[in-house]
Amino acid sequence: MEPAVFEHGDVHMRAAHGVFELFRRNVVIGSYRALLKWVKVRADARRGGVTRLHFGNIAQLDEPIYASKTRPGRLLVTIEIPTSDEPLYRAHFARLAQLSDRPIGP
């Protein structure tokens, strides 16, 4: 698999060789690294034009990679993005879902 790289604002995401990595500029604690087939992201729209993306690991292999609702489980890292940017992130996760043969949620 060719590396799939997404950079937007202070967020850098990379998936290569089956490993997903998330980095935020100027944040030492809070990066996230996991096997792509284990990654889950929950999008949580908030007031004030902010959406929180919560990253964690799946509990069941059939879980979608990205959804507004995910099964309960420990979420490891959260980033805040402008709600207007959410479609860009969703498109990136749709690509990662396709590359990893995983569903993307509603």
Side-chain angles (χ1 to χ4, degrees):
M1 168 172 82
E2 285 289 316
V5 176
F6 177 86
E7 293 180 316
H8 190 71
D10 290 342
V11 176
H12 177 92
M13 291 185 275
R14 175 183 170 89
H17 308 290
V19 176
F20 174 84
E21 297 173 295
L22 164 72
F23 302 97
R24 293 177 290 167
R25 185 180 10 237
N26 300 326
V27 177
V28 176
I29 299 173
S31 55
Y32 169 68
R33 184 173 194 236
L35 292 177
L36 182 57
K37 64 183 178 180
W38 293 351
V39 172
K40 75 174 174 181
V41 182
R42 185 180 77 213
D44 179 20
R46 311 289 287 188
R47 291 183 179 174
V50 172
T51 295
R52 289 184 181 160
L53 300 181
H54 305 280
F55 293 78
N57 296 339
I58 59 170
Q60 302 291 323
L61 292 176
D62 63 345
E63 286 185 56
I65 193 168
Y66 184 91
S68 57
K69 302 273 187 207
T70 60
R71 292 182 180 158
R74 188 168 164 221
L75 298 169
L76 305 170
V77 174
T78 298
I79 63 172
E80 287 188 353
I81 62 169
T83 299
S84 60
D85 291 347
E86 189 276 337
L88 299 171
Y89 286 81
R90 175 179 278 282
H92 178 67
F93 284 104
R95 179 176 177 218
L96 293 182
Q98 197 172 37
L99 291 173
S100 62
D101 197 28
R102 304 243 332 262
I104 188 158

